[in-house]
Amino acid sequence: MVRYTVAVCNYNMAETIEESLTSIISQLDDEFEVLVVDDGSTDGSLDILASLADIHKQLRYVVRDHSNLAEARNTSFELEKGSISSNRWTLMTAMEVAYVTS
């Protein structure tokens, strides 16, 4: 069962996406999923994502029409399976830092 979601947004990062995702996946166990939201890449990223998803069961990806990073992040919130996600952790950490420093 997926407990945690690591959300990654991608737009035309074919040069680095495979190395980045392979590194992330190598550090996770079965309680994690890696959700990639592709924001309409046109550089071959989708072929790389499809290939990696065939190899790694924890990886899934969705493709959306190109918009912006905020919309891609919102999509990851909507689609995450884990009860704890990197999106929420980052948001909580940022809020905690803002509270402590104010």
Side-chain angles (χ1 to χ4, degrees), residues 4-63:
Y4 306 97
T5 298
V6 177
V8 177
C9 297
N10 179 63
Y11 179 68
N12 287 340
M13 296 299 294
E15 291 184 22
T16 59
I17 193 73
E18 183 171 5
E19 182 178 355
S20 298
L21 292 176
T22 302
S23 175
I24 292 168
I25 292 167
S26 72
Q27 300 175 56
L28 305 178
D29 61 27
D30 289 340
E31 289 188 319
F32 288 83
E33 73 165 341
V34 177
L35 171 61
V36 179
V37 177
D38 185 90
D39 195 36
S41 292
T42 58
D43 67 343
S45 292
L46 298 180
D47 293 333
I48 296 167
L49 291 172
S51 176
L52 289 171
D54 286 342
I55 297 168
H56 303 284
K57 65 178 180 155
Q58 304 125 290
L59 175 65
R60 65 186 176 103
Y61 68 98
V62 296
V63 181

